[in-house]
Amino acid sequence: VGPDGKGPFNRHNFTNIMSVQELVEYYALPFKYAVKEGGALGTMCSYNAVEVKSPEGKSTGSIPSCAFSELQNGMMRGQWNFSGWIVSDCGAISDFLETNTCSGCHRKTSHGMESLCLPTHGICPSPGCHNEEQKSTCMAEKAYAGGTDLACGVIGDYGDALANGTLTKLQLLESAQRVLRTLFSLGLVNPKAELPFKNLGSEDIAS
């Protein structure tokens, strides 16, 4: 894969395959110290999917990290007692979609027109560029169930997911509480007069 991310594998469809030992002793260790020793209030799930294999040969299968409940809810919140929020990397929730084979799905970037019809993780259907409701409902279901609270980009339509019962009010409430707890603890919902730093401008930044 080149620096432009083109090729058979890129950050939008790559699966990191690892053993349980590699996960616990290598990949998860920095996050564990950030949570248990550093008191981190938030963390980010990535674009790639993860597949964990046990010593007995059992596999979790390929699961996007932002939908991986066993890691985010089980390990982080269950084993490490992480009480903060988890946000997706920008656009990572959209990588839940299957490869889009329709024509005309492009967006304008600084490098020109970029195709949105890229191969991704495929845990949500991509029936076409214009069927946004089906896409967004599945995306919301998978994200919230997987332990993701916020999205940089689109997290999906949780209204329909609530209506059809695939997402519960308790799941949504717990996510909201995790986010709001940080906002309140930092005073970000207080009146502006109580927060002197809100009156600082670019001229106050010594860089």
Side-chain angles (χ1 to χ4, degrees), residues 8 17 113 116 119 139 147 151 155 194 198:
I17 302 173
M113 295 302 290
L116 298 182
M139 288 157 58
I155 199 167
E194 297 180 12
K198 280 197 171 183

Side-chain angles (χ1 to χ4, degrees), residues 50-83:
V50 177
E51 180 177 352
V52 182
K53 294 187 176 182
S54 72
E56 299 76 26
K58 295 181 180 180
S59 171
T60 61
S62 176
I63 305 174
S65 67
C66 293
F68 209 139
S69 180
E70 190 174 339
L71 295 183
Q72 300 193 141
N73 292 321
M75 178 178 283
M76 293 184 65
R77 294 189 171 119
Q79 297 177 26
W80 304 345
N81 297 316
F82 176 61
S83 60

